[in-house]
């Protein structure tokens, strides 16, 4: 089974969805470690409850991004991590991590990229009065949500859409889509074509 690291910064509901499918056997992977840049984040509690080791660090305690990414790399190496899953990790991945894991880092983003990259994609979609938004899973490169797209799933915004209702719709998709795509990527190295065209 492939050893993965999950990176999160916040509540970690996607991390929890991944923990649950690993437990049930639907995702054949070993979550070796949670990496978290906010030691107080709820994601850390989820890791503790699931007895998953954590590397929780404060970037400001390091002299540079290179310094904390080197510390992360060391941890990943010590756990034999082969693949990185970003799940609400609010930092750009720098050259130190990319140098070692290029092509083996994926991210999930709550919009149909390239629309609404960066922070608060849900708020951006509402402010733009978009008819459609959705979820994108993509490989990570040095840009902000710019790497090659693996899969997208659409969601239609209703006229009465609120932040809460859109967030709920998007999370429901994320918590199913990420585990199923990870299973394909980790066991077959690719995603079946018909998965790419699913819409809501
Ligand atoms: C998700 O919407 C994900 O798409 C984005 O950050 C959010 C993380 O939520 N990258 P959670 O911490 O998994 O609940």
């Amino acid at each position: 089974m492939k050893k993965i690291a999950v990176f999160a910064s916040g509540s970690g509901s996607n991390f929890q969805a991944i923990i649950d499918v690993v437990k049930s056997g639907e995702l054949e992977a070993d979550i070796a470690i949670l990496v978290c840049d906010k030691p107080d984040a709820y994601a850390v509690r989820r890791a503790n409850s699931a007895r998953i080791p954590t590397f929780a660090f404060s970037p400001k305690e390091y002299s540079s991004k290179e310094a904390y990414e080197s510390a992360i790399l060391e941890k990943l190496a010590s756990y034999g991590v082969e693949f990185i899953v970003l799940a609400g990790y609010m930092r750009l991945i720098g050259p130190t991590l990319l140098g070692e894991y290029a092509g083996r880092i994926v991210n999930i983003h709550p919009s149909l990229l390239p629309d609404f990259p960066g922070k608060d994609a849900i708020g951006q979609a509402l402010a733009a009065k978009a008819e459609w938004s959705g979820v994108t899973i993509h490989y990570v490169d040095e840009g902000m949500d710019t790497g090659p797209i693996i899969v997208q799933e659409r969601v239609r915004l209703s006229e009465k859409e609120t932040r809460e209702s859109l967030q709920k719709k998007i999370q429901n998709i994320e918590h199913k889509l990420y585990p199923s795509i990870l299973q394909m990527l980790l066991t077959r190295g690719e995603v079946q074509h018909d998965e790419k065209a699913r819409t809501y």
Side-chain angles (χ1 to χ4, degrees):
M1 265 198 283
K2 280 238 161 75
K3 292 197 178 200
I4 66 172
V6 178
F7 285 34
S9 302
S11 121
S13 70
N14 280 283
F15 174 43
Q16 186 66 53
I18 293 167
I19 292 172
D20 293 345
V21 288
V22 166
K23 269 197 194 138
S24 73
E26 288 160 82
L27 175 55
E28 297 160 84
D30 177 7
I31 309 174
I33 187 166
L34 170 76
V35 173
C36 183
D37 62 329
K38 294 216 171 69
D40 298 336
Y42 194 66
V44 173
R45 286 211 236 164
R46 296 185 195 268
N48 292 339
S49 306
R51 298 202 165 77
I52 293 168
T54 58
F55 178 58
F57 67 101
S58 297
K60 59 177 187 300
E61 287 169 12
Y62 291 83
S63 55
S64 63
K65 187 184 198 87
E66 190 187 344
Y68 71 71
E69 286 204 341
S70 296
I72 295 173
L73 263 189
E74 235 170 75
K75 277 280 170 194
L76 300 185
S78 74
Y79 282 94
V81 168
E82 302 162 85
F83 197 92
I84 297 175
V85 175
L86 305 186
Y89 183 68
M90 301 300 284
R91 286 178 185 276
L92 278 183
I93 299 295
T96 308
L97 276 169
L98 275 172
E100 204 63 42
Y101 284 95
R104 295 186 291 150
I105 313 179
V106 293
N107 181 42
I108 188 161
H109 183 79
S111 77
L112 295 176
L113 291 171
D115 290 348
F116 314 131
K119 286 197 177 141
D120 193 20
I122 290 177
Q124 290 184 52
L126 288 168
K129 300 201 185 313
E131 187 186 355
W132 292 94
S133 191
V135 174
T136 302
I137 296 172
H138 64 95
Y139 287 107
V140 170
D141 63 12
E142 63 287 342
M144 169 91 79
D145 303 319
T146 50
I149 290 173
I150 300 166
V151 68
Q152 294 188 305
E153 195 155 319
R154 300 204 294 169
V155 58
R156 189 192 279 276
L157 276 69
S158 77
E159 272 165 26
K160 292 177 295 191
E161 203 72 58
T162 62
R163 174 178 287 273
E164 290 68 36
S165 64
L166 182 54
Q167 189 162 331
K168 182 115 197 64
K169 283 184 194 171
I170 283 187
Q171 280 191 338
N172 286 342
I173 295 173
E174 288 187 337
H175 296 166
K176 290 196 190 74
L177 191 64
Y178 217 5
S180 72
I181 294 301
L182 288 172
Q183 170 69 1
M184 290 181 206
L185 290 175
L186 293 172
T187 60
R188 290 206 295 268
E190 60 176 13
V191 172
Q192 276 172 332
H193 190 67
D194 58 343
E195 276 297 324
K196 293 188 178 161
R198 283 206 289 160
T199 51
Y200 249 54

